[in-house]
Amino acid sequence: MNTILVVAEHRRGEVRPVTLELITAAQQLKTAADDRVLLAIIGQEAESLASQLQWAGVDEIIACKTNSAEFEPELAEQAVSALIVSRKPIAVLLPHSVDSLGYATAVAVKGGYGYATDVFKLAYDGGALVATRGGYNQKVNVEVDFPGHACAVMTIRGGAFKPVETVAAPLLTVDDRSELSARSRPLEFIEQGGGGDIDITTVEFIMSIGRGIGEEANVEDFRELADNIDATLCCSRPIADAGWLPKSRQVGQSGKVVSACKLYVAMGISGSIQHMAGMKHVSTIVAVNTDPGASIFTIAKYGIVADIFEIQEELQAQLA
Amino acid sequence: MKIVVAVKQVAALDDDFEIRADGLDVDEDFLMYDLNEWDDYSLEEAMKIKEAAAEGAVEVIAVSVGPERVDESLRKCLAKGADRAIRVWDDAMEGSDAVTIGRILAGVVKKEAPAMVFAGVQSSDQANAATGMAIAASLDWPHAAVVAELDYQPGAATARIKRELEGGMLQAVEIDCPAVLTLQLGINKPRYASLRGIKQAAAKPIEHWSLGDLGLDATQVGATAALSRVRRMEIPVKGRAQMIEGTIAEQAAKLIEIIKEYKGEAA
Ligand SMILES: Cc1cc2nc3c(=O)[nH]c(=O)nc-3n(C[C@H](O)[C@H](O)[C@H](O)COP(=O)(O)OP(=O)(O)OC[C@H]3O[C@@H](n4cnc5c(N)ncnc54)[C@H](O)[C@@H]3O)c2cc1C
């Protein structure tokens, strides 16, 4: 019998949806009927949060009580490490999220477990657990395994597995870890101000610029083009970081998911996983990029290999 | 007081590249090297702390693990004002994964005993997002990942940070020092190296350390110490996008057609 341990993610009293994707990933790792999927939830309110975790495919929910309501990396690390020792899973699945980046490595390093991050595919090959992740800015796929390690800790890319949809009533056990202590203390949450700008999550047509625009002086041409075609001008992270467009216009993991968007024209954006996290659901994505190997072309419906400045000029000329 | 900044020389691929004959990596001929984008920000953050303190009070040390070519990236750090640069290498380190690199860097940290260690959130090539946290775990130091704001006075017992979460939210955290932090893009505005800086950097030495200097042995580094093993690398089946070919005029015309179609549907 194999055990697969999934760690739920929660924030401000809400279980984060990526947790449901991890359950599906865990299901895929089951090979025998008696394999078990354990779902741990860590924090002061673990027991009450467990009621949000009644998902099919989970055999047991472990409410791991700590003395911090919100995520704290050392408490998470110690709680998960203790669970690995007591429950001996062959795989531990965490979301590839900001919280996990803060402690997954420590669990693997201190326990000497196998380790891979940002995994988007899981399989067995002749009994060996094989994880697939991206390399060289997503231009290659890399298959890794974990020889000599009885347990592998893996962070799983968001959106790589379908979320589980069916509910059930798994067994609930409580694991009291309130004696654990940590050397950092979460204080408060801060929403990055929208600054009275439009809410890009509600707009349907977006033209988005990336580092391909090169200089701040070029932003204006693309603003004019966006106005001309009634699109909302948005951007990838480097543009917002440079202050060329407000942060409220950033699409992606740490920016916004453009939920209402139907047409997304990506100009000079490579398609990093963090950017795609904000727009890959859009039904019609058109990407313009000089690099035919840019990963944005893997999710775009239409691709144009061209210089965005030439396209911009030509569009303006034809629209005039 | 010292701040150690871990930096990586990352590889970008040529337009047309080939996988090596053993199938485990890209053929080296197709790689172009540069300093990791995230590390530019961590170095800048250390420089800001140094410049806000009294002259000579803070020493910024850039450290990297890798073969000789890595000197070029370290030279960039010196040109931007790092006081010292250390390159660690030993043939036994070939095949090290991010976690093993973290262990090697932790060896340097033990020797230098800095008040803070900075690393980038991730590297632009392999994006393991693991090295900084592996340093912390090897040292058993307090740590925080994806730091978007830092409020730290040199020598203070605690620092205030803001972690950047998903969806435009931040979380304020107080952390005990010394600590290992991984710093996020946008935490500051990295400087360009000045001509004077570049000239000065050319004259500064890069210290070269090997296994023996770190109190590590060959079994603790390299592929055998790694927590994962590459089985195969392949070029994914790409191009789900329908490519719009033709002249610029034809491509633009087709794009206008797509926009019109969308507007028709939406109307
Ligand atoms: C925790 C975390 C959260 C993050 N959150 C976000 C987020 O919310 N949003 C986000 O965008 N990023 C985010 N990032 C950063 C992300 O990893 C990338 O660094 C970023 O998305 C890259 O932006 P880009 O595609 O504009 O730039 P690049 O990757 O540099 O791509 C520029 C592209 O432009 C093309 N190009 C250049 N010149 C031209 C031209 N003249 N014509 C046509 N094409 C051209 C190039 O071929 C290249 O493909 C996050 C990273 C981390 C670690």
Side-chain angles (χ1 to χ4, degrees), chain A residues 11-12 16 70-71 73-74 77 97-99 101-102 105-106 108-110 112-115 117 125 128 130 133-147 149 183-192 204-205 211 229-230 237 241-242 247 253-256 262-263 274 284 286 291 293 297-306 310-311 314-315 318-319, chain B residues 11-13 15 17 19 25-26 31 37 41 99 121-122 124-130 133-134 136-138 140-146 158 160 162-176 184-186 189 226-244 248-256 258-259 261-263 266:
Chain A
R11 187 169 292 153
R12 300 173 115 178
R16 304 199 65 230
E70 294 297 341
F71 170 80
E74 287 191 312
E77 174 205 324
S97 61
V98 171
D99 282 359
L101 294 192
T105 310
V109 169
K110 291 189 184 172
Y113 306 122
Y115 187 46
T117 59
D125 183 9
V130 179
R133 63 188 312 284
Y136 296 108
N137 208 0
Q138 306 302 318
K139 291 195 172 178
V140 298
N141 286 352
V142 190
E143 276 182 11
V144 301
D145 62 7
F146 314 97
H149 300 282
R183 293 168 293 181
S184 67
R185 292 153 294 281
L187 302 173
E188 58 178 330
F189 290 100
I190 304 138
E191 300 274 356
Q192 298 207 60
E204 291 191 358
F205 179 19
R211 184 145 43 198
I229 56 178
D230 303 316
R237 178 159 193 142
D241 280 346
K247 189 81 180 166
Q253 180 186 333
S254 51
K256 293 285 183 232
K262 297 201 170 76
L263 176 59
Q274 292 92 1
T284 308
V286 187
D291 174 9
F297 289 129
T298 61
I299 59 148
K301 185 165 176 189
Y302 300 103
I304 298 177
V305 176
E310 289 181 26
I311 288 286
E314 187 60 34
L315 284 172
Q318 292 190 21
L319 289 164
Chain B
L13 296 183
D15 277 358
F17 62 91
I19 305 273
D25 207 339
V26 168
L31 303 180
E37 187 183 358
Y41 292 84
V99 161
V121 167
Q122 65 177 33
S124 59
D125 54 358
Q126 305 308 343
N128 289 298
M133 292 300 109
S138 303
D140 194 25
W141 278 17
H143 50 84
V146 197
T158 60
R160 277 274 201 136
K162 285 184 188 146
R163 298 168 58 225
E164 181 189 70
L165 306 175
E166 289 81 3
M169 186 145 56
L170 298 167
Q171 186 188 35
V173 173
E174 184 187 62
I175 189 164
D176 296 347
Q184 173 66 316
L185 303 172
K189 297 232 182 296
L227 297 184
S228 68
R229 173 184 70 174
V230 175
R231 288 163 55 107
R232 199 155 67 100
M233 193 174 278
E234 61 177 9
I235 303 171
V237 199
K238 278 249 177 90
R240 268 198 290 145
Q242 186 183 320
M243 298 315 271
I244 299 171
I248 288 286
E250 286 162 352
Q251 289 173 321
K254 175 70 186 171
L255 182 46
I256 289 173
I258 293 166
I259 294 168
E261 202 175 297
Y262 150 79
K263 285 186 176 169

Side-chain angles (χ1 to χ4, degrees), chain A residues 98 101 137 209-213 235-239 250-256 267-272 274-275 288-291 294 306-309, chain B residues 37-38 121-122 146 164 184-185:
Chain A
V98 171
L101 294 192
N137 208 0
I209 50 175
R211 184 145 43 198
I213 74 147
C235 63
S236 68
R237 178 159 193 142
I239 308 308
Q250 180 185 317
V251 175
Q253 180 186 333
S254 51
K256 293 285 183 232
M267 297 278 201
I269 295 175
S270 66
S272 68
Q274 292 92 1
H275 185 77
V288 185
N289 200 305
T290 40
D291 174 9
D307 183 305
I308 55 170
F309 301 108
Chain B
E37 187 183 358
W38 274 262
V121 167
Q122 65 177 33
V146 197
E164 181 189 70
Q184 173 66 316
L185 303 172

Side-chain angles (χ1 to χ4, degrees), chain B residues 39 94 98 117 139 164 173 192 211 251 262:
Chain B
D39 302 344
E94 188 71 49
V117 176
L139 296 165
E164 181 189 70
V173 173
Y192 291 100
L211 260 184
Q251 289 173 321
Y262 150 79

Side-chain angles (χ1 to χ4, degrees), chain A residues 111-134:
Chain A
Y113 306 122
Y115 187 46
T117 59
D118 195 22
V119 170
F120 57 81
K121 199 172 137 199
L122 284 169
Y124 286 102
D125 183 9
L129 184 57
V130 179
T132 308
R133 63 188 312 284

Side-chain angles (χ1 to χ4, degrees), chain B residues 15-75:
Chain B
D15 277 358
D16 283 307
F17 62 91
E18 282 165 29
I19 305 273
R20 222 162 58 189
D22 67 4
L24 298 180
D25 207 339
V26 168
D27 189 327
E28 185 130 16
D29 290 349
F30 302 95
L31 303 180
M32 297 164 295
Y33 296 103
D34 202 354
L35 181 63
N36 180 34
E37 187 183 358
W38 274 262
D39 302 344
D40 238 349
Y41 292 84
S42 355
L43 180 70
E44 180 65 30
E45 200 63 17
M47 288 302 300
K48 278 174 57 189
I49 294 168
K50 173 186 161 79
E51 286 163 357
E55 177 87 33
V58 176
E59 184 180 37
V60 174
I61 310 172
V63 185
S64 193
V65 179
E68 219 172 305
R69 59 173 159 75
V70 173
D71 278 353
E72 197 189 313
S73 291
L74 285 169
R75 195 72 68 196

Side-chain angles (χ1 to χ4, degrees), chain B residues 87-224:
Chain B
R87 178 170 68 83
V88 190
W89 191 244
D90 193 294
D91 288 342
M93 292 174 187
E94 188 71 49
S96 294
D97 64 352
V99 161
T100 314
I101 300 283
R103 178 182 299 142
I104 295 166
L105 291 167
V108 176
V109 173
K110 276 183 197 149
K111 288 248 163 166
E112 295 289 343
M116 273 290 186
V117 176
F118 296 162
V121 167
Q122 65 177 33
S123 58
S124 59
D125 54 358
Q126 305 308 343
N128 289 298
T131 308
M133 292 300 109
I135 301 174
S138 303
L139 296 165
D140 194 25
W141 278 17
H143 50 84
V146 197
V147 173
E149 260 184 75
L150 171 63
D151 180 2
Y152 169 69
Q153 303 309 317
T158 60
R160 277 274 201 136
I161 59 176
K162 285 184 188 146
R163 298 168 58 225
E164 181 189 70
L165 306 175
E166 289 81 3
M169 186 145 56
L170 298 167
Q171 186 188 35
V173 173
E174 184 187 62
I175 189 164
D176 296 347
C177 302
V180 180
L181 307 179
T182 67
L183 305 190
Q184 173 66 316
L185 303 172
I187 187 171
N188 52 42
K189 297 232 182 296
R191 69 193 64 194
Y192 291 100
S194 65
L195 221 57
R196 189 163 147 262
I198 295 168
K199 270 194 195 141
Q200 283 175 345
K204 281 192 201 170
I206 291 173
E207 299 164 48
H208 295 153
W209 295 23
S210 69
L211 260 184
D213 298 316
L214 298 173
L216 290 170
D217 65 59
T219 63
Q220 292 167 291
V221 299
T224 43

